[in-house]
Amino acid sequence: MKAKTVYVCTNCDNQSSSWLGRCPSCGAWNTFTEETYENEQTAPEDKKSARRSLLVRASTDSEPQQFSDDVADYLRSDTGMNEFDRVLGGGLVEGSVVLISGEPGIGKSTLLLQICDALAESKKVMYVSGEESAAQISMRAKRLGISNKNIWLLTETDADKVLKHAEKLQPDVLIVDSIQTMYHTESATIPGSVTQIKESAAMFINKAKNDGTAVLFVGHVNKEGGIAGPKILEHMVDTVLYFEGENHHNFRLIRAIKNRFGSTNEIGVFEMTDKGLREVANPSEMLLADRPQNVSGNCAVCLIEGSRPLIAELQALTVETSFPSPRRMSTGLDYNRLALILAVLDKRLGLHFSGVDVYMNVIGGLKITETSSDAGMALALVSSVRNMPVPDDLMCIGEIGLSGEVRAVSRIEQRIREGARLGFCRIAIPYRNYQKLTDKPDGIEIIPLKTIFDMLPLMIKPNK
């Protein structure tokens, strides 16, 4: 049978007869990979129909119903880790497909093994590994203290064989580590290719939707940080989770970028220990544990991550530059946002940063995208360049506009309560939020901010 070679874009699945540096469909660079498969024109009809059916979920007899009719609600199961349940929207949904992605060594397999242990108390769990041997997984399980007999381990990369074992065992939860190692024997392409990943994932998704088995995939990441394989993989699954963190930090964050059964704004916080991942129920207290006292360039801000307020510590450092062009570095904050704040301080306050290097950092490996941290960022920068510490009991909240005004932010009362709970006695908030404030905690001084000029009296004057 004649074989055909095509080049497929891993980002949008566009096909080309020759390799291209830039995809003409989606515009991505260096995304074409070579694939070889049997020519559809010469393949037998029964094989062609079988190949096409891989990407189509097996249909079931169903009747249309009105919105007013009672529809069965989702059945959720606790995974034993409240932080993970929070991100999922309240627990693992029966028949759902979850894709968990993250950098190598971040702790994906460790997290799933710990979840297996909790789920196996009431459900039958099947763990499929295509990367590690049974001895390696057993060694990790012993280190984590996992020895539940309701967990079944299979080391296999053939998707057909995995599903045959699943038909015999009938597990409630099926974990595939990882989906990029799975392959389908009827496909002539190599394992890990776009077609193989797509077809293997479709087979497991059919299993989940038809039998009600909850399926969890582990997904590799490429060098750009995205999920390896075709972009359609993220559309096929119900939930996409990113497990992130720095290798030199013990803390890990898990967030949802897609969730058909809950919010995508929630985050879960974990700490990596020698006994596995430990939940961090109070991340604000953890992030402020080692905060220095009476030091310039340090300011606390309050963010909203989903339904949870989170207090983060911003640190700014300005030093005289030795380069022709001053250096700007930002860790955990948008570099362009830092440049915008520096421009506002230069234009409105007359603070010239053209002769100093500026370094900005968020403690704990957090990544802040919320603009409510603008006021705290500006206060930390002014504090560092003037060497005037910000009071340790002060927290600053607000978005800064190009005219230097401090704009209102959402859910201000929730942010104030979180600050008061952690011992902040003075909280600076936008003036418009201050006017609408109805619930003021006792013993807390609320300071209204109209412009960045109102932030200057907040700092402590250095001793002469």
Side-chain angles (χ1 to χ4, degrees):
M1 190 172 293
K2 186 179 179 182
K4 181 181 179 182
T5 299
V6 296
Y7 293 85
V8 183
C9 174
T10 58
N11 190 50
C12 67
D13 293 338
N14 183 41
Q15 295 187 5
S16 172
S17 58
S18 60
W19 186 88
L20 299 174
R22 185 172 186 266
C23 177
S25 178
C26 66
W29 287 90
N30 299 323
T31 55
F32 276 92
T33 59
E34 182 181 357
E35 293 192 11
T36 304
Y37 60 90
E38 295 174 351
N39 193 338
E40 292 282 343
Q41 300 299 325
T42 59
E45 287 300 321
D46 55 345
K47 274 198 170 183
K48 288 199 295 185
S49 60
R51 290 277 304 277
R52 285 193 292 265
S53 66
L54 290 175
L55 301 180
V56 182
R57 183 163 66 100
S59 61
T60 56
D61 293 333
S62 60
E63 297 292 336
Q65 53 185 334
Q66 294 179 329
F67 277 113
S68 59
D69 294 343
D70 291 333
V71 180
D73 199 3
Y74 298 119
L75 298 177
R76 295 183 183 268
S77 302
D78 293 337
T79 62
M81 305 189 82
N82 294 331
E83 293 295 302
F84 191 70
D85 289 339
R86 176 196 295 271
V87 179
L88 288 176
L92 186 62
V93 176
E94 180 181 312
S96 64
V97 183
V98 180
L99 175 63
I100 303 176
S101 180
E103 295 287 339
I106 202 71
K108 301 183 294 296
S109 299
T110 300
L111 174 67
L112 290 177
L113 272 178
Q114 292 182 248
I115 292 172
C116 284
D117 191 37
L119 288 172
E121 294 296 329
S122 58
K123 295 182 179 298
K124 188 182 292 185
V125 181
M126 182 176 174
Y127 189 100
V128 181
S129 176
E131 300 178 350
E132 297 179 292
S133 66
Q136 289 175 301
I137 299 172
S138 178
M139 187 183 303
R140 182 186 296 117
K142 288 179 180 178
R143 177 172 58 84
L144 299 175
I146 299 173
S147 59
N148 199 310
K149 293 184 178 180
N150 222 12
I151 302 176
W152 300 80
L153 177 62
L154 175 65
T155 55
E156 182 60 69
T157 56
D158 188 337
D160 288 306
K161 293 181 180 179
V162 171
L163 290 175
K164 286 179 182 178
H165 287 292
E167 286 296 328
K168 295 178 182 178
L169 190 62
Q170 288 299 318
D172 301 300
V173 180
L174 176 63
I175 297 175
V176 180
D177 185 6
S178 65
I179 187 60
Q180 279 82 7
T181 61
M182 296 293 130
Y183 72 93
H184 180 52
T185 53
E186 292 189 11
S187 177
T189 56
I190 61 174
S193 64
V194 173
T195 304
Q196 286 282 14
I197 295 174
K198 194 172 9 178
E199 292 182 351
S200 299
M203 295 170 68
F204 290 111
I205 292 173
N206 288 343
K207 169 72 174 174
K209 301 307 179 184
N210 294 332
D211 297 346
T213 304
V215 177
L216 289 88
F217 293 144
V218 172
H220 292 165
V221 296
N222 52 32
K223 61 183 180 181
E224 288 82 18
I227 299 175
K231 194 68 176 175
I232 193 175
L233 180 62
E234 298 180 42
H235 296 282
M236 294 167 68
V237 301
D238 298 311
T239 304
V240 181
L241 306 180
Y242 270 97
F243 203 37
E244 56 191 39
E246 302 292 337
N247 290 330
H248 55 275
H249 283 293
N250 290 333
F251 302 109
R252 304 285 189 266
L253 298 179
I254 188 166
R255 65 176 74 244
I257 63 169
K258 172 189 176 182
N259 192 355
R260 289 174 179 161
F261 308 110
S263 171
T264 58
N265 296 320
E266 299 285 357
I267 66 167
V269 185
F270 300 88
E271 181 182 8
M272 179 63 78
T273 67
D274 56 349
K275 298 296 183 181
L277 290 164
R278 182 181 66 84
E279 295 180 80
V280 179
N282 192 349
S284 296
E285 189 173 339
M286 173 267 294
L287 293 170
L288 298 175
D290 300 320
R291 190 184 180 203
Q293 303 293 314
N294 198 29
V295 177
S296 62
N298 189 297
C299 186
V301 298
C302 188
L303 318 169
I304 296 292
E305 292 285 354
S307 60
R308 171 171 31 191
L310 192 65
I311 295 182
E313 177 188 350
L314 301 184
Q315 289 187 336
L317 179 64
T318 57
V319 293
E320 186 177 349
T321 186
S322 57
F323 303 101
S325 178
R327 194 174 187 184
R328 304 284 186 260
M329 285 190 64
S330 176
T331 304
L333 287 162
D334 183 15
Y335 177 85
N336 294 323
R337 199 70 191 173
L338 172 61
L340 184 148
I341 298 298
L342 290 173
V344 172
L345 294 176
D346 190 306
K347 179 70 174 180
R348 306 303 173 188
L349 292 183
L351 295 175
H352 300 296
F353 292 88
S354 57
V356 295
D357 295 332
V358 177
Y359 304 89
M360 202 81 199
N361 181 41
V362 183
I363 296 300
L366 284 179
K367 294 181 181 178
I368 298 178
T369 57
E370 196 178 345
T371 55
S372 64
S373 62
D374 287 354
M377 193 191 315
L379 193 58
L381 288 167
V382 175
S383 170
S384 179
V385 77
R386 292 301 187 195
N387 198 26
M388 300 170 64
V390 177
D392 298 325
D393 63 348
L394 174 69
M395 185 173 72
C396 196
I397 305 169
E399 177 186 353
I400 292 181
L402 294 181
S403 300
E405 77 279 12
V406 181
R407 294 180 173 270
V409 299
S410 62
R411 298 162 70 175
I412 191 64
E413 294 183 354
Q414 192 175 357
R415 300 175 197 256
I416 291 175
R417 286 195 298 269
E418 180 70 5
R421 187 180 68 83
L422 291 178
F424 289 94
C425 302
R426 305 170 66 199
I427 302 177
I429 65 174
Y431 181 76
R432 193 155 67 87
N433 285 129
Y434 178 80
Q435 288 180 311
K436 299 179 179 179
L437 197 62
T438 57
D439 183 17
K440 298 180 182 179
D442 296 333
I444 303 298
E445 180 185 359
I446 307 297
I447 305 170
L449 302 175
K450 287 186 177 180
T451 66
I452 55 176
F453 294 98
D454 297 331
M455 296 191 298
L456 299 180
L458 301 178
M459 291 181 292
I460 302 173
K461 294 182 179 180
N463 296 325
K464 295 183 179 180

